[in-house]
Amino acid sequence: MSTLKTKENKYNIAVIPGDGIGSEVMESTITVLNNLNLDFNYIYGEAGDACLEKTGYALPEKTIEIVRNADACLFGAAGETAADVIVKLRQEMKMFANLRPVKSYPNTNSLAENIDFIIVRENTEGLYIADKEEFTDEGAVAKRVITREAEERIIDYAFQYAKDNNKSKVTGVHKANVLKKSDGLFKDIFYEVGEKYPDIEKEDFYVDATAMYLITQPEKFEVIVTTNLFGDILSDEGAGLVGGLGLIPSANIGNDGALFEPVHGSAPDIAGKGIANPIAMMLSAVMMLKYLDENESGEKLENAILKLLTEAKVLTGDLGGNATTNEVTNEIIKLL
Ligand code: NAI
Ligand code: MG
């Protein structure tokens, strides 16, 4: 499928380190992956603020080509050009699902101990369609677009994810009491698609109630599926629940590609100091390994991270320790 694919390697992985701590956490993560005995060929691409300065483009065509030809992409972070880089890449690659696992790890600022759910957010429509927003004589209007095709696709993805990952329940989140047509349709589709998964429990909540339940009983959730805007907001609530950007990975999945990235940005305040927490990037790599069915390696890396957090001896500053990125990298390699 890929022109760049070599015979020797099982997978081609596009690697876009980007700006600031993006390149620091990426270097750390690739070093760790190199200790996992994986048959990967890494192809590096440039993007971000520094790339814009150097080439005149924040996301050069060549980088898009690299991502298109790869089996998966690891992305660090961009700076001020983030919207031009990551939003454009998601569109170019038609990555319709945005996945945000929310998991409590030991020795972190998690609000509860047994949180472990994932938010599956529709990434292509809803309220986030730029050309549907316009100024009017009275002010401005934004249109919210809900299509059967896109919502069936994301809801089916969520149920299939639940099935593949031994989850027992999927929660559909909407506001069908007020948005009777658009979210009424979402809710109908949720139960229609759900019929194909008889072994998985289904429930649905209004988004406002969900925002509260996430605080009062977060352990109730396993898989949440929702539309674009609601997913965006609940995802950041999820990040707040388990404390700290340095720990939160994400995935963008499409039919022809997938991109894995930490939720954090380029962190200019700590960039270049060698103290960034590489765990969010490493957990993004864990998601990639599972996506590529490299489950054994994925679990190995995840367990090493869990051990590191449980022992709490080698932690970066954001987690209350004083270790450098390199020290965490070396400790993870030891724990593997
Ligand atoms: P940020 O995530 O870069 O930083 C927020 C705060 O969290 C900072 O104090 C930072 O030091 C800390 N932090 C973040 N990741 C950390 C890590 N791995 N280890 C330790 N501390 C960490 O968000 P901010 O400050 O709003 O944005 C900075 C730049 O990043 C902006 O130019 C923004 O456009 C860009 N950005 C890029 C994103 C992307 O590429 N996907 C996402 C979010 C922001
Ligand atoms: Mg957001």
Side-chain angles (χ1 to χ4, degrees):
M1 116 192 167
S2 141
T3 50
L4 290 166
K5 193 153 190 152
T6 55
K7 282 205 179 69
E8 309 88 69
N9 293 100
K10 189 166 174 195
Y11 293 119
N12 281 316
I13 309 297
V15 178
I16 306 176
D19 299 310
I21 68 165
S23 56
E24 299 171 37
V25 297
M26 185 66 83
E27 191 187 333
S28 160
T29 298
I30 298 292
T31 305
V32 164
L33 290 176
N34 281 336
N35 278 269
L36 274 170
N37 202 16
L38 292 158
D39 197 10
F40 286 176
N41 177 33
Y42 299 106
I43 305 130
Y44 281 74
E46 286 183 301
D49 298 2
C51 179
L52 174 65
E53 203 148 292
K54 192 177 130 191
T55 68
Y57 300 94
L59 181 65
E61 194 53 44
K62 190 177 160 204
T63 303
I64 299 175
E65 239 356 77
I66 289 172
V67 177
R68 208 173 266 139
N69 288 320
D71 297 297
C73 174
L74 282 175
F75 182 87
E80 290 306 304
T81 53
D84 301 323
V85 175
I86 190 66
V87 177
K88 185 145 181 245
L89 262 179
R90 285 178 193 148
Q91 284 167 352
E92 285 282 333
M93 299 296 298
K94 299 193 174 61
M95 296 192 263
F96 63 84
N98 186 276
L99 310 188
R100 282 261 206 117
V102 179
K103 191 168 174 174
S104 50
Y105 287 102
N107 298 306
T108 60
N109 287 326
S110 188
L111 293 186
E113 269 173 19
N114 46 355
I115 303 174
D116 186 5
F117 63 88
I118 189 163
I119 298 176
V120 179
R121 163 187 167 195
E122 208 292 321
N123 224 7
T124 68
E125 59 177 27
L127 204 46
Y128 287 179
I129 303 180
D131 65 355
K132 299 282 179 203
E133 194 186 21
E134 59 187 10
F135 288 112
T136 62
D137 292 342
E138 293 80 28
V141 176
K143 254 190 203 150
R144 184 162 177 271
V145 176
I146 298 293
T147 66
R148 184 166 266 283
E149 185 187 359
E151 302 307 328
E152 274 178 6
R153 181 174 62 186
I154 196 72
I155 291 166
D156 192 68
Y157 188 91
F159 276 103
Q160 193 61 45
Y161 180 94
K163 194 174 165 190
D164 293 345
N165 291 276
N166 299 317
K167 306 282 185 185
S168 62
K169 183 173 70 178
V170 177
T171 307
V173 173
H174 56 78
K175 188 72 181 172
N177 52 340
V178 177
L179 301 167
K180 290 196 171 73
K181 290 175 184 150
S182 55
D183 268 7
L185 180 62
F186 176 88
K187 186 179 164 184
D188 288 348
I189 295 172
F190 175 75
Y191 284 104
E192 271 170 46
V193 173
E195 277 178 23
K196 288 201 296 173
Y197 300 88
D199 298 337
I200 295 171
E201 192 188 328
K202 295 121 205 138
E203 69 181 4
D204 71 284
F205 292 132
Y206 298 133
V207 63
D208 43 356
T210 306
M212 183 188 69
Y213 296 148
L214 283 179
I215 306 286
T216 56
Q217 32 194 326
E219 64 285 342
K220 269 182 63 107
F221 294 97
E222 294 185 46
V223 177
I224 290 175
V225 61
T226 188
T227 48
N228 207 341
L229 168 73
F230 296 161
D232 189 13
I233 298 170
L234 294 180
S235 292
D236 277 23
E237 189 183 356
L241 263 181
V242 292
L245 277 171
L247 292 172
I248 319 258
S250 74
N252 300 277
I253 312 272
N255 289 330
D256 302 314
L259 180 148
F260 302 82
E261 55 170 338
V263 168
H264 66 70
S266 61
D269 53 335
I270 59 164
K273 294 185 179 158
I275 55 168
N277 187 349
I279 292 179
M281 186 76 239
M282 288 183 194
L283 286 172
S284 304
V286 168
M287 293 184 84
M288 180 183 79
L289 291 170
K290 292 185 176 171
Y291 169 82
L292 295 172
D293 273 331
E294 297 284 344
N295 293 311
E296 207 183 308
S297 294
E299 271 160 34
K300 215 169 154 188
L301 178 51
E302 194 174 17
N303 285 335
I305 293 166
L306 186 61
K307 223 181 215 169
L308 179 108
L309 292 168
T310 308
E311 291 178 359
K313 285 189 298 207
V314 185
L315 300 177
T316 44
D318 57 313
L319 297 178
N322 53 18
T324 62
T325 310
N326 276 338
E327 285 165 348
V328 171
T329 312
N330 293 334
E331 186 65 17
I332 290 283
I333 290 168
K334 235 192 270 169
L335 293 169
L336 287 175

